[in-house]
Structures are given as C-alpha cells and as structure tokens.
Amino acid sequence: MPKQLFHHFNKYLELTEEHFQEILPFFEIRILKKKEVLMEAGNMCTHNHFVLEGCLHMFFLNDKGTERTVQFAIENWWITDDLAYLNQTTTDFSIQAVENTRLLTITHDKQGQLLKEFPQLEKYFRTIYQISYGAALVKMRYLFGLTKEEIYFHFTEQFPLFAQRVPQYLIASFLGLTPEYVSEIRAKKRS
Amino acid sequence: MPKQLFHHFNKYLELTEEHFQEILPFFEIRILKKKEVLMEAGNMCTHNHFVLEGCLHMFFLNDKGTERTVQFAIENWWITDDLAYLNQTTTDFSIQAVENTRLLTITHDKQGQLLKEFPQLEKYFRTIYQISYGAALVKMRYLFGLTKEEIYFHFTEQFPLFAQRVPQYLIASFLGLTPEYVSEIRAKKRS
C-alpha cells in the first residue's frame, strides 16, 4: 500500500525503487476510524500526513461553535496546517477522519532530515505546494465571483465523485454555506 | 537592486554570490507605471514575477464587471496565476500595478531550465509556496470565521503598513467587501 507514495513521487520526479525503500522508514503508518481526531486545535503542529486510503478534513470552530472546513484530503493528498507545521507553532485547526483512513505520517524533524538526505524530493514538494496554492487562488475566485448557488453546483459538477463521497454538511462547510441552504437549493433543483 | 533576490534566496538556502551572477541572466527587469497591466485574463500565463519595488494585484472581473482581488504582491513577493503558469494554460486573472513597480520577471521555460541547472533553488520555491498555501488556509479561516467588520479590522491591524499603502477599495476587494461597506465601518469607528 505505501507504494502509492512511490507512484506519487514519480508523477513529479524520477525516484528509484531502491531510494524509496530508504525513504519509507521516515514515515509511520497510521490507521484512523471514521470521526477519529488526528490533530487538535491548540496543540503543536508536529506532523504532515499523506493519505493512502480514506478522507480527512481540516476545520476550525467559529464563534458559534460551528465547524468550518478549510481543506479536505483524499487518496494521494497531503494534509496539515502548513504554516504552523513550517514554523513549528500551535495550530488553530483540527483534522478529523471523514471515513476510515490509512495514512503515511511524518514528523517535521524527520521531513527536514528526509529533504536533506534526498534533496531531489524538494521538487516534488515544490510542485505539490504550487498546485495547492494555485488551487486556493481559484477557490477564492469562486467564493468572490459566484453566487452561493453557483458555488455549490459548480463544485459538485467539477468534482462529482468527491461530492457523492463526502457528507453534504461538510461540503457546505467547505464552501462557506449552511447545510440548510444546501438542502434548500438541492430540493429546488430536484423540483 | 536585483541583489534583493539574492538576499531573498539566502533567507531559505545558502547561495554563493558567484552562483547568483549565473542565475540573474535567466531574469529580465521590467518597469511598470501605476495602473499598467502586466498579465491579462484570456492570455497564456507564461511568466512569473518577483517584485523589487512597488505593488501589484491579481484580480478577476465578476459578472457585474467589478474587479475582485485575489492576491497582492509587494517587495520580495512572487506573483503569477500559479495553476495556469504550472500547466501553461490561459489565465482567468489579470495582474496590474497598484504603484510604479520594478520586477524581475522569468518565463516558464527559463524557470524550468534554471531549476534544472540550480536544483538547490527547489528548496527556496518549495518554502515560498508552502508559506503561500499556509497563508491561504489562514485567510479562509478569517473569511469563514469572522464577521465582515472583524475581517476588515483584523486585516488592517495585522498589516498596518500595507493597509496604509494600498487604496481602500483594493483592500475591500481583497477581503470580499464592497468599498461602500468599508467606508461605512471606518466612519463608524471614527465617530
């Protein structure tokens, strides 16, 4: 199963099987049950996670105690609070499993050591972050440029499998909508 | 002046003066007058830009023809439509000078060649993008977690010099507010 990470590395660089066998021990496998919490707001952000199987979301609680999701991670995605991870500070976000999930997880120290020993991986992480940041700009365009209804239907049309897989209230939370609003526009579309 | 980029590289890696002299010819200096357009929606996104002096913003036009800003760049920041740049496609965004601006600009092809010849720069760009993506998650937290009034005052308190420097209507546009709303809450605070 960890071979998935090998294939993902090789999407962006050429890595030998032998090197991957040396890289793998930097990681630990972690298994989470649905709803299990991986990272909790207020704690130090010490780990970065690569999803082998399953789905996670990162969220914060607003003043009313409502969860607002800022990112998801499914198979082959990385997830952490990147700024807190980079600066080794406490995080304001929590990460929780949306489904039963298997991860490869790495500590900040070990990732630093890994990048020193295998500097060719810098290209891989540069590309991953470049894509993530580019996608965040596009998300901003939708949030600022579309009506709430358009945001929802645009998202579900662009990512149909994802929209089927993840509970509606989490998609609503990710798009800055209320679950009630999403039920309403879905009912309107069906009628 | 281009030495600024040398110092910025050296924030995240160790680069010799000699290497920097070999790196510099990959870039061109570009000078823009205030309001001049650097990239236009609908065109191919072929360049990445490092700001030596001045300020730019990247925006799109919504259905009503109103500009909505998704990112700014001041001294030592990079700016482009990262997803379109990476994939070498057309962009939906435009970039315009907010002030008279001096840039170091590089084409996608030349940046690819630069990273091949100086792979140690991958670490620099990985860190830049990791910070940018981390900051985008934090921005999402403010957009989803604060009231419109809190978003504005939080931003101006956190980045006071930036808030003084950039016209209020652009800050409003960046925070998803209308200029009228910003005038209103500023007047309320003064009264």
Side-chain angles (χ1 to χ4, degrees), chain B residues 83-96:
Chain B
L83 223 46
Y85 180 71
L86 190 67
N87 299 328
Q88 286 296 280
T89 59
T90 58
T91 176
D92 294 328
F93 296 103
S94 297
I95 299 177
Q96 188 187 31

Side-chain angles (χ1 to χ4, degrees), chain A residues 48 58 60-63 68-71 80-83 85-86 92-93 111 115 119 122-127 129-147 150 173-177, chain B residues 48 58 60-63 68-71 80-83 85-86 92-93 111 115 119 122-127 129-147 150 173-177:
Chain A
N48 200 357
M58 188 166 103
F60 66 94
L61 293 179
N62 69 10
D63 288 351
R68 305 309 305 255
T69 295
V70 294
Q71 65 173 339
T80 191
D81 172 358
D82 292 286
L83 224 45
Y85 181 71
L86 191 66
D92 294 329
F93 296 104
Q111 190 171 356
L115 288 168
E122 291 284 5
K123 182 184 178 187
Y124 169 80
F125 285 105
R126 186 261 300 165
T127 313
Y129 283 117
Q130 195 171 8
I131 293 170
S132 302
Y133 180 59
L137 292 175
V138 171
K139 182 180 175 187
M140 218 60 88
R141 178 162 175 258
Y142 296 136
L143 288 181
F144 283 0
L146 301 179
T147 65
E150 285 167 345
S173 160
F174 179 65
L175 299 174
L177 311 173
Chain B
N48 200 357
M58 188 166 104
F60 67 94
L61 294 179
N62 68 10
D63 288 352
R68 304 307 306 254
T69 295
V70 294
Q71 66 173 339
T80 192
D81 172 357
D82 292 286
L83 223 46
Y85 180 71
L86 190 67
D92 294 328
F93 296 103
Q111 190 171 355
L115 288 169
E122 291 284 6
K123 182 185 178 187
Y124 168 80
F125 285 105
R126 185 262 299 166
T127 314
Y129 284 117
Q130 195 171 8
I131 294 170
S132 302
Y133 181 58
L137 293 176
V138 172
K139 182 180 175 187
M140 218 61 87
R141 179 164 173 255
Y142 295 136
L143 289 181
F144 283 180
L146 301 180
T147 66
E150 284 167 346
S173 160
F174 179 65
L175 299 175
L177 311 172

Side-chain angles (χ1 to χ4, degrees), chain A residues 24-36:
Chain A
L24 206 48
F26 285 85
F27 292 86
E28 279 180 23
I29 287 197
R30 190 133 181 217
I31 297 173
L32 298 174
K33 290 232 169 294
K34 185 176 171 177
K35 300 270 181 191
E36 204 175 326

Side-chain angles (χ1 to χ4, degrees), chain A residues 86-99:
Chain A
L86 191 66
N87 299 328
Q88 285 297 280
T89 59
T90 57
T91 176
D92 294 329
F93 296 104
S94 298
I95 299 178
Q96 188 187 30
V98 177
E99 304 170 355

Side-chain angles (χ1 to χ4, degrees), chain A residues 37 47 67 106 136:
Chain A
V37 172
H47 289 70
E67 284 182 10
I106 190 166

